[in-house]
mmCIF file of all heavy atoms in Angstrom:
data_model
loop_
_atom_site.group_PDB
_atom_site.id
_atom_site.type_symbol
_atom_site.label_atom_id
_atom_site.label_comp_id
_atom_site.label_asym_id
_atom_site.label_seq_id
_atom_site.Cartn_x
_atom_site.Cartn_y
_atom_site.Cartn_z
ATOM 1 N N GLN A 3 26.720 -17.284 3.675
ATOM 2 C CA GLN A 3 25.853 -16.686 4.798
ATOM 3 C C GLN A 3 24.884 -15.721 4.204
ATOM 4 O O GLN A 3 23.682 -15.668 4.633
ATOM 5 C CB GLN A 3 26.856 -16.004 5.772
ATOM 6 C CG GLN A 3 26.108 -15.624 7.056
ATOM 7 C CD GLN A 3 27.099 -15.126 8.098
ATOM 8 O OE1 GLN A 3 27.681 -14.084 7.973
ATOM 9 N NE2 GLN A 3 27.302 -15.940 9.151
ATOM 10 N N LEU A 6 21.994 -17.469 2.663
ATOM 11 C CA LEU A 6 21.121 -17.979 3.734
ATOM 12 C C LEU A 6 20.174 -16.891 4.254
ATOM 13 O O LEU A 6 18.987 -17.153 4.586
ATOM 14 C CB LEU A 6 21.935 -18.572 4.840
ATOM 15 C CG LEU A 6 22.630 -19.872 4.495
ATOM 16 C CD1 LEU A 6 23.543 -20.328 5.666
ATOM 17 C CD2 LEU A 6 21.680 -21.021 4.104
ATOM 18 N N PHE A 7 20.751 -15.633 4.440
ATOM 19 C CA PHE A 7 19.970 -14.482 4.864
ATOM 20 C C PHE A 7 18.836 -14.231 3.901
ATOM 21 O O PHE A 7 17.690 -14.025 4.179
ATOM 22 C CB PHE A 7 20.779 -13.273 5.027
ATOM 23 C CG PHE A 7 21.666 -13.325 6.231
ATOM 24 C CD1 PHE A 7 22.622 -12.311 6.522
ATOM 25 C CD2 PHE A 7 21.718 -14.374 7.162
ATOM 26 C CE1 PHE A 7 23.486 -12.380 7.616
ATOM 27 C CE2 PHE A 7 22.509 -14.455 8.267
ATOM 28 C CZ PHE A 7 23.355 -13.401 8.454
ATOM 29 N N PHE A 10 16.155 -16.832 4.164
ATOM 30 C CA PHE A 10 15.258 -16.713 5.303
ATOM 31 C C PHE A 10 14.273 -15.522 5.030
ATOM 32 O O PHE A 10 13.080 -15.701 5.422
ATOM 33 C CB PHE A 10 16.094 -16.390 6.487
ATOM 34 C CG PHE A 10 15.293 -16.299 7.803
ATOM 35 C CD1 PHE A 10 14.518 -17.330 8.275
ATOM 36 C CD2 PHE A 10 15.278 -15.104 8.543
ATOM 37 C CE1 PHE A 10 13.785 -17.291 9.377
ATOM 38 C CE2 PHE A 10 14.596 -15.038 9.708
ATOM 39 C CZ PHE A 10 13.783 -16.140 10.148
ATOM 40 N N GLY A 36 18.835 -25.251 3.810
ATOM 41 C CA GLY A 36 19.377 -23.978 4.091
ATOM 42 C C GLY A 36 18.831 -23.405 5.428
ATOM 43 O O GLY A 36 19.573 -22.802 6.192
ATOM 44 N N LEU A 37 17.517 -23.582 5.623
ATOM 45 C CA LEU A 37 16.938 -23.107 6.906
ATOM 46 C C LEU A 37 17.536 -23.859 8.105
ATOM 47 O O LEU A 37 17.846 -23.288 9.133
ATOM 48 C CB LEU A 37 15.405 -23.256 6.834
ATOM 49 C CG LEU A 37 14.625 -22.864 8.110
ATOM 50 C CD1 LEU A 37 14.949 -21.400 8.425
ATOM 51 C CD2 LEU A 37 13.148 -23.062 7.954
ATOM 52 N N GLN A 38 17.684 -25.213 7.926
ATOM 53 C CA GLN A 38 18.271 -25.969 9.033
ATOM 54 C C GLN A 38 19.683 -25.502 9.316
ATOM 55 O O GLN A 38 20.081 -25.404 10.510
ATOM 56 C CB GLN A 38 18.247 -27.456 8.590
ATOM 57 C CG GLN A 38 16.865 -28.064 8.566
ATOM 58 C CD GLN A 38 16.837 -29.490 8.036
ATOM 59 O OE1 GLN A 38 17.953 -29.995 7.615
ATOM 60 N NE2 GLN A 38 15.740 -30.112 7.998
ATOM 61 N N ARG A 39 20.445 -25.189 8.237
ATOM 62 C CA ARG A 39 21.806 -24.803 8.526
ATOM 63 C C ARG A 39 21.805 -23.417 9.235
ATOM 64 O O ARG A 39 22.651 -23.187 10.063
ATOM 65 C CB ARG A 39 22.591 -24.670 7.199
ATOM 66 C CG ARG A 39 24.065 -24.246 7.324
ATOM 67 C CD ARG A 39 24.655 -24.095 5.937
ATOM 68 N NE ARG A 39 25.977 -23.501 6.083
ATOM 69 C CZ ARG A 39 26.693 -23.000 5.019
ATOM 70 N NH1 ARG A 39 26.164 -23.063 3.888
ATOM 71 N NH2 ARG A 39 27.912 -22.458 5.281
ATOM 72 N N LEU A 40 20.913 -22.532 8.810
ATOM 73 C CA LEU A 40 20.911 -21.211 9.396
ATOM 74 C C LEU A 40 20.509 -21.333 10.886
ATOM 75 O O LEU A 40 21.121 -20.660 11.756
ATOM 76 C CB LEU A 40 19.900 -20.305 8.691
ATOM 77 C CG LEU A 40 19.850 -18.842 9.040
ATOM 78 C CD1 LEU A 40 21.186 -18.211 8.804
ATOM 79 C CD2 LEU A 40 18.799 -18.142 8.188
ATOM 80 N N GLU A 41 19.561 -22.196 11.228
ATOM 81 C CA GLU A 41 19.196 -22.440 12.567
ATOM 82 C C GLU A 41 20.362 -23.016 13.478
ATOM 83 O O GLU A 41 20.524 -22.654 14.577
ATOM 84 C CB GLU A 41 17.973 -23.326 12.696
ATOM 85 C CG GLU A 41 16.677 -22.639 12.189
ATOM 86 C CD GLU A 41 15.467 -23.539 12.301
ATOM 87 O OE1 GLU A 41 15.613 -24.704 12.058
ATOM 88 O OE2 GLU A 41 14.279 -22.993 12.394
ATOM 89 N N GLU A 42 21.088 -23.892 12.802
ATOM 90 C CA GLU A 42 22.278 -24.419 13.489
ATOM 91 C C GLU A 42 23.332 -23.356 13.786
ATOM 92 O O GLU A 42 23.980 -23.249 14.841
ATOM 93 C CB GLU A 42 22.903 -25.536 12.634
ATOM 94 C CG GLU A 42 22.037 -26.774 12.612
ATOM 95 C CD GLU A 42 22.574 -27.781 11.574
ATOM 96 O OE1 GLU A 42 23.591 -27.480 10.928
ATOM 97 O OE2 GLU A 42 21.973 -28.867 11.414
ATOM 98 N N MET A 43 23.479 -22.420 12.782
ATOM 99 C CA MET A 43 24.451 -21.331 12.926
ATOM 100 C C MET A 43 24.115 -20.414 14.084
ATOM 101 O O MET A 43 24.957 -19.970 14.831
ATOM 102 C CB MET A 43 24.581 -20.545 11.636
ATOM 103 C CG MET A 43 25.275 -21.343 10.474
ATOM 104 S SD MET A 43 25.093 -20.452 8.881
ATOM 105 C CE MET A 43 25.759 -18.793 9.301
ATOM 106 N N VAL A 44 22.805 -20.036 14.159
ATOM 107 C CA VAL A 44 22.414 -19.044 15.198
ATOM 108 C C VAL A 44 22.000 -19.736 16.504
ATOM 109 O O VAL A 44 21.928 -19.072 17.532
ATOM 110 C CB VAL A 44 21.226 -18.217 14.715
ATOM 111 C CG1 VAL A 44 21.620 -17.457 13.479
ATOM 112 C CG2 VAL A 44 19.935 -19.068 14.391
ATOM 113 N N GLY A 45 21.796 -21.043 16.470
ATOM 114 C CA GLY A 45 21.600 -21.730 17.726
ATOM 115 C C GLY A 45 20.169 -21.657 18.258
ATOM 116 O O GLY A 45 20.024 -21.937 19.496
ATOM 117 N N VAL A 46 19.167 -21.199 17.490
ATOM 118 C CA VAL A 46 17.814 -21.180 17.953
ATOM 119 C C VAL A 46 16.875 -21.610 16.818
ATOM 120 O O VAL A 46 17.301 -21.613 15.642
ATOM 121 C CB VAL A 46 17.401 -19.688 18.355
ATOM 122 C CG1 VAL A 46 18.229 -19.256 19.556
ATOM 123 C CG2 VAL A 46 17.526 -18.769 17.212
ATOM 124 N N VAL A 47 15.655 -21.935 17.133
ATOM 125 C CA VAL A 47 14.708 -22.314 16.143
ATOM 126 C C VAL A 47 14.096 -20.983 15.630
ATOM 127 O O VAL A 47 13.587 -20.103 16.396
ATOM 128 C CB VAL A 47 13.499 -23.148 16.733
ATOM 129 C CG1 VAL A 47 12.465 -23.388 15.745
ATOM 130 C CG2 VAL A 47 14.147 -24.413 17.237
ATOM 131 N N LEU A 48 14.176 -20.788 14.329
ATOM 132 C CA LEU A 48 13.749 -19.565 13.717
ATOM 133 C C LEU A 48 12.336 -19.628 13.178
ATOM 134 O O LEU A 48 11.596 -18.633 13.072
ATOM 135 C CB LEU A 48 14.618 -19.162 12.558
ATOM 136 C CG LEU A 48 16.110 -18.834 12.894
ATOM 137 C CD1 LEU A 48 16.908 -18.652 11.636
ATOM 138 C CD2 LEU A 48 16.196 -17.669 13.809
ATOM 139 N N ALA A 49 11.835 -20.875 12.878
ATOM 140 C CA ALA A 49 10.438 -21.021 12.347
ATOM 141 C C ALA A 49 9.928 -22.381 12.744
ATOM 142 O O ALA A 49 10.666 -23.343 12.919
ATOM 143 C CB ALA A 49 10.504 -20.921 10.843
ATOM 144 N N THR A 59 9.222 -17.901 14.811
ATOM 145 C CA THR A 59 9.185 -17.754 16.268
ATOM 146 C C THR A 59 9.562 -16.325 16.651
ATOM 147 O O THR A 59 9.959 -15.557 15.819
ATOM 148 C CB THR A 59 10.240 -18.782 16.845
ATOM 149 O OG1 THR A 59 11.591 -18.311 16.384
ATOM 150 C CG2 THR A 59 10.043 -20.185 16.438
ATOM 151 N N GLU A 61 12.155 -15.347 18.138
ATOM 152 C CA GLU A 61 13.520 -15.206 17.772
ATOM 153 C C GLU A 61 13.685 -15.005 16.279
ATOM 154 O O GLU A 61 14.508 -14.183 15.832
ATOM 155 C CB GLU A 61 14.378 -16.372 18.232
ATOM 156 C CG GLU A 61 14.457 -16.531 19.740
ATOM 157 C CD GLU A 61 13.264 -17.195 20.378
ATOM 158 O OE1 GLU A 61 12.386 -17.650 19.671
ATOM 159 O OE2 GLU A 61 13.200 -17.294 21.650
ATOM 160 N N GLY A 62 12.829 -15.703 15.573
ATOM 161 C CA GLY A 62 12.889 -15.596 14.114
ATOM 162 C C GLY A 62 12.426 -14.210 13.639
ATOM 163 O O GLY A 62 13.012 -13.671 12.685
ATOM 164 N N ARG A 64 12.823 -11.430 15.239
ATOM 165 C CA ARG A 64 13.861 -10.466 15.607
ATOM 166 C C ARG A 64 15.054 -10.631 14.584
ATOM 167 O O ARG A 64 15.638 -9.709 14.049
ATOM 168 C CB ARG A 64 14.392 -10.614 16.976
ATOM 169 C CG ARG A 64 13.420 -10.164 18.025
ATOM 170 C CD ARG A 64 14.093 -10.051 19.370
ATOM 171 N NE ARG A 64 14.661 -11.266 19.897
ATOM 172 C CZ ARG A 64 13.971 -12.168 20.603
ATOM 173 N NH1 ARG A 64 12.702 -11.941 20.944
ATOM 174 N NH2 ARG A 64 14.559 -13.282 21.040
ATOM 175 N N PHE A 65 15.299 -11.934 14.224
ATOM 176 C CA PHE A 65 16.364 -12.205 13.284
ATOM 177 C C PHE A 65 15.981 -11.743 11.911
ATOM 178 O O PHE A 65 16.946 -11.298 11.101
ATOM 179 C CB PHE A 65 16.722 -13.710 13.301
ATOM 180 C CG PHE A 65 17.884 -14.125 12.433
ATOM 181 C CD1 PHE A 65 19.162 -13.588 12.840
ATOM 182 C CD2 PHE A 65 17.795 -14.859 11.339
ATOM 183 C CE1 PHE A 65 20.276 -13.980 12.087
ATOM 184 C CE2 PHE A 65 18.937 -15.208 10.569
ATOM 185 C CZ PHE A 65 20.132 -14.763 10.978
ATOM 186 N N LEU A 66 14.708 -11.800 11.526
ATOM 187 C CA LEU A 66 14.285 -11.340 10.206
ATOM 188 C C LEU A 66 14.564 -9.819 10.009
ATOM 189 O O LEU A 66 15.025 -9.403 8.954
ATOM 190 C CB LEU A 66 12.780 -11.629 10.076
ATOM 191 C CG LEU A 66 12.106 -11.032 8.836
ATOM 192 C CD1 LEU A 66 12.677 -11.716 7.589
ATOM 193 C CD2 LEU A 66 10.548 -11.236 8.852
ATOM 194 N N ASP A 68 16.899 -8.092 11.393
ATOM 195 C CA ASP A 68 18.336 -7.933 11.233
ATOM 196 C C ASP A 68 18.796 -8.359 9.874
ATOM 197 O O ASP A 68 19.616 -7.700 9.204
ATOM 198 C CB ASP A 68 19.059 -8.773 12.277
ATOM 199 C CG ASP A 68 19.019 -8.189 13.664
ATOM 200 O OD1 ASP A 68 18.791 -6.930 13.810
ATOM 201 O OD2 ASP A 68 19.145 -8.983 14.622
ATOM 202 N N CYS A 69 18.229 -9.415 9.327
ATOM 203 C CA CYS A 69 18.491 -9.926 8.021
ATOM 204 C C CYS A 69 18.190 -8.876 6.895
ATOM 205 O O CYS A 69 18.950 -8.583 6.024
ATOM 206 C CB CYS A 69 17.848 -11.198 7.703
ATOM 207 S SG CYS A 69 18.574 -12.707 8.538
#
Side-chain angles (χ1 to χ4, degrees):
Q3 194 172 68
L6 291 174
F7 287 175
F10 184 60
L37 179 57
Q38 291 174 353
R39 181 183 172 194
L40 190 59
E41 289 178 328
E42 291 171 359
M43 289 171 55
V44 298
V46 297
V47 175
L48 298 173
T59 63
E61 293 81 8
R64 292 196 297 271
F65 187 64
L66 175 64
D68 288 337
C69 286

